[in-house]
Amino acid sequence: MDRSFLGWIVIGIVAGVLGKLLMPGKDPGGFIVTILIGIAGSLLAGFLGQAVGFYQPGQAGGWIGATVGAIILLFLYRLVTRSRTG
C-alpha cells in the first residue's frame, strides 16, 4: 500500500475530527460519519491532485491538497444536511 494513501487517510481522520469539533451540534450521521467524510474528501483530493499532475506521491502538495479536499467535503456535507433538515 502506498504511503501517501495512508497519509491521506490520516489527514482525513484529523480533518473529520477537527470538523466535528469546529462545527458541533446534531448531525444526521454523527461523529463516525463526519470522520468518514473527511477521509473520503482527503482521498478524493489526493487522487485527483496526482491525476492532473499538481504533485507527485510523497510531495508536500499532496498533504495540502488532501487537507483542503477533506475540509471542502465536510463543508459541503454540512451545507447539504442543514438545508434538508432546516
Side-chain angles (χ1 to χ4, degrees):
M1 188 176 289
D2 189 14
R3 283 182 29 204
S4 59
F5 181 79
L6 293 175
W8 296 335
I9 290 174
V10 171
I11 290 170
I13 291 169
V14 171
V17 169
L18 287 175
K20 185 63 176 174
L21 292 174
L22 293 174
M23 297 182 279
K26 287 185 140 185
D27 281 329
F31 188 70
I32 299 297
V33 172
T34 304
I35 291 173
L36 292 175
I37 289 171
I39 292 170
S42 178
L43 290 172
L44 180 64
F47 284 127
L48 287 177
Q50 282 186 10
V52 296
F54 287 149
Y55 45 81
Q56 298 299 317
Q59 289 183 320
W63 288 85
I64 295 166
T67 302
V68 170
I71 291 169
I72 289 171
L73 200 56
L74 285 168
F75 173 76
L76 292 174
Y77 169 72
R78 283 292 183 107
L79 192 64
V80 169
T81 57
R82 283 190 180 160
S83 67
R84 279 198 276 150
T85 59

